[in-house]
Structures are given as structure tokens and as C-alpha cells.
Amino acid sequence: MTVRIGVVGAGALGFHHTRILREIPVASLVGFHDSNAERAETVSRDLGVPPFATLESLLDSIDALSVVVPTPAHFAAAAPALERGIHVLIEKPIATTLAEADELLAIAKRTGALVQTGHVERFNRAVRAALPYVEEPRFVEIDRLAPFNPRGSDVAVVLDLMIHDIDLVRTFVGGGVASVSAVGVPVLTPFVDIANARIAFESGAVANITASRVSRERMRKLRLFQQSGYLSLDLAAGTGEFYRLRRDVDFAAFVRGAQGAQALESFVERIAVEAPEGEPLRLELEAFVRAVAGDGPVPVTGDDGREALAVALTIVHDIEQSLPALSGTSAAVAALAQAKGGGGA
């Protein structure tokens, strides 16, 4: 089955969605829509893909749609596609509010359309390599730091960057969230630009997540602790290591005979975790096309996106409660989403 697919939003990320979809064998890229005519002309010329003047005209010709518009316009772009039964991949976060997310999922259920959320870090090589070693983690620590980029600055850093790690923690730990506490502060924008959240799960596991878009350097690192060992992942490099007690060591006897500090290598083995190479965005889009073609499950469902959004909005609310000057910021974003309607990136 060949999947006729289109893209709405041809900004920095939408450009790459369009580029990659040209090259996926099962996909037939029909075209894209961007509300900025000058941008649409540039992308069309660079990639050799036809632009559509309106979203409606694009929807007339496709089976599936990749939604890569700014977050406040996700609902307005995805809802009309889902109403037609068109399958959608929606970049993270799935929507601006839970009400929007719930309505999108309700439309999809009614029309039989698939919804995939664009949590691309699920396809990170280090994450794919680490999953076979994950076994009931008790503590996860993640740091995601980046220099300021205007793209994504129309929402809090929690919805722009931290939501990646919220989804990863939910993937690794599983189960429901019991409580959330968070701190954050706006630095360059009216929204929170740096935040830290502590997420406690019903299983007893705890995650500590820090996200910043005002850092001088980039860093994306994850550390996961469990009874069987310790995982250290560099998400930027796509590499990772698993440390566990050496199986040829009687640790109790080792401790009895030890004198002073001991080299880690004398009782711990280090295992480099590995997975096949692959551009994460390409793997994500290939998975979406396969799901639409009936050749596999949706790897990151709309429900997954909704749950990550729920935790993210709880974090934003907790931060707003401690900073009265931010009160109502989330509501203002929601109002902006409704006012802007559809359009490009």
C-alpha cells in the first residue's frame, strides 16, 4: 500500500519532514502547505515538492498528514484532517491544552484515523539501545540544556524541551504519576525559560528533570538507576553505557577483603549499549507511514502525547503558582491558539 502524505508547516523542522518523506519508499509525498507564501516558494524550489495554497486543498489529496506548525496551531491544523479520517502525526506537544488533545483523540476515535505524537527522542539511538537493559528503575535524572532559539519560544520551556524527557521517563518507568513539584523562571521570554521538575510515580520511582533554553552550551544527558545497575546515556551523541556488579565477583567477600578505596573496574563491569544507526526523525516518519499502511503499530500514540502533555501542564501550573507574575500565561497561550487558527510554521 502506498500512503499519500502531506506536510503542513514548512519551517525549520517542517522542512526536514518534507525532505525525508520524499525518500520513504512506501510514502508518496503529495505536497505541503505553509501560510507564508515566500517560505513555501523557497522550500518548493529547494526540495522539488509542490506547495498547496490552502490546507483544505492539500487534505483533498492525501491519506496522512504530518503536522509541523507552531504549537498554538496544532489543533486547528490537525482537527480538519482527522474529521476527514486522515491519519496524522502531530509534533510534540500534541496540543496546547488537554481539552484540545481530548477533542483531537475523540475525533480520531470517531473517524477511525490514527494519531501519532512526534516525541522523536523515542527513536534516539541511545534510547533504543538502553531499553533492553531497563528493569524497574527507581530514580531517573535528565538534563536538557540548549542555547536560546526563537523557534519554540511561543510556549514555556516545559512544553518546548522538557516534554521530550517527560515522555522518556514515562516510557522507562511506566505506570501513573503520583505527584509533581517544580520550579522555574522566565529569563528572555514571557514564559518559563528554565525549569526543574520532580516527578514521583505510583510505583515509587522518582524522576528529576531540568530543562533550559538559556544555556551557553548544549547538553542532553540521562542517568537511570535500578537494582540491576546504572545506565548513563548521552542523547546528543546517541551513546550510552550500562554499569553493573561483575558477575564473577562475590561482593560481600570483596568488601571484607578490601583495604581503602577500590578501583570501580575491580567490581563493576561497563557495557557499551548499542543500537543500529538511524536518523531519529527518519525512523519516526517511517514508523508512522508503516502504521498508516497497516504494517505495524503506532509507536507513540495520541494517548501517549496526551499523557505527556498532562504532566507538562501540571508542571507549568506548579511553577505559575509560585510566580504570580506568570499567572494566566497558560490561558493566554490557549487563547492565542484559538485566535491564530491553522497555518504554516
Side-chain angles (χ1 to χ4, degrees):
M1 172 183 175
T2 299
V3 176
R4 299 176 305 156
I5 193 166
V7 178
V8 57
L13 183 55
F15 177 92
H16 291 294
H17 278 242
T18 307
R19 171 184 63 82
I20 292 169
L21 284 168
R22 297 177 311 167
E23 303 163 0
I24 296 177
V26 183
S28 173
L29 180 60
V30 173
F32 71 95
H33 167 67
D34 193 284
S35 59
N36 183 320
E38 184 177 350
R39 174 64 179 173
E41 182 181 352
T42 298
V43 172
S44 178
R45 182 179 63 249
D46 291 349
L47 296 180
V49 178
F52 281 67
T54 65
L55 175 59
E56 290 72 21
S57 61
L58 177 61
L59 296 181
D60 287 338
S61 306
I62 59 176
D63 309 305
L65 178 70
S66 186
V67 177
V68 207
V69 293
T71 299
H74 280 186
F75 179 84
L82 291 170
E83 286 285 5
R84 295 181 181 219
I86 292 171
H87 312 290
V88 298
L89 184 155
I90 309 174
E91 266 300 332
K92 60 79 197 168
I94 188 172
T96 308
T97 67
L98 287 182
E100 288 181 346
D102 288 339
E103 187 167 350
L104 290 176
L105 296 178
I107 297 170
K109 184 176 181 180
R110 172 164 48 82
T111 63
L114 299 178
V115 178
Q116 180 170 320
T117 312
H119 285 291
V120 71
E121 286 285 40
R122 291 266 198 112
F123 300 88
N124 186 295
R125 187 185 184 195
V127 172
R128 290 185 285 117
L131 280 171
Y133 295 90
V134 176
E135 185 179 354
E136 298 183 6
R138 306 305 295 162
F139 178 63
V140 185
E141 187 171 28
I142 310 179
D143 293 297
R144 183 178 296 266
L145 314 178
F148 182 73
N149 185 336
R151 182 172 65 84
S153 64
D154 54 350
V155 294
V157 70
V158 178
L159 294 169
D160 178 29
L161 299 181
M162 186 183 283
I163 198 165
H164 281 298
D165 302 312
I166 293 169
D167 179 68
L168 286 182
V169 168
R170 290 189 67 255
T171 301
F172 286 133
V173 174
V177 172
S179 65
V180 169
S181 60
V183 293
V185 64
V187 178
L188 300 177
T189 76
F191 308 102
V192 173
D193 292 315
I194 182 168
N196 173 266
R198 181 184 186 274
I199 303 172
F201 288 82
E202 293 172 352
S203 65
V206 171
N208 186 56
I209 308 175
T210 299
S212 170
R213 58 185 176 203
V214 291
S215 175
R216 291 185 61 187
E217 299 178 352
R218 294 184 182 277
M219 181 172 72
R220 291 157 53 203
K221 293 193 174 180
L222 182 152
R223 292 164 291 279
L224 182 151
F225 301 86
Q226 57 194 25
Q227 189 170 353
S228 62
Y230 156 57
L231 275 161
S232 176
L233 308 182
D234 186 330
L235 301 177
T239 59
E241 297 174 326
F242 181 53
Y243 297 87
R244 68 183 178 192
L245 185 67
R246 281 175 46 185
R247 296 180 176 180
D248 60 346
V249 172
D250 181 334
F251 192 68
F254 176 83
V255 170
R256 286 195 301 270
Q259 307 231 345
Q262 302 292 309
L264 191 68
E265 294 78 9
S266 60
F267 58 93
V268 169
E269 68 174 323
R270 168 186 165 275
I271 303 169
V273 298
E274 297 180 347
E277 291 279 2
E279 182 182 1
L281 182 57
R282 182 180 299 274
L283 296 175
E284 176 183 75
L285 290 169
E286 287 175 344
F288 175 57
V289 172
R290 284 197 303 271
V292 172
D295 292 333
V298 174
V300 188
T301 65
D303 287 327
D304 290 332
R306 193 263 184 207
E307 292 308 308
L309 176 64
V311 176
L313 290 177
T314 301
I315 291 169
V316 171
H317 178 71
D318 198 57
I319 293 171
E320 289 180 352
Q321 292 292 101
S322 66
L323 289 174
L326 285 177
S327 181
T329 299
S330 299
V333 173
L336 175 64
Q338 294 178 354
K340 288 183 71 172

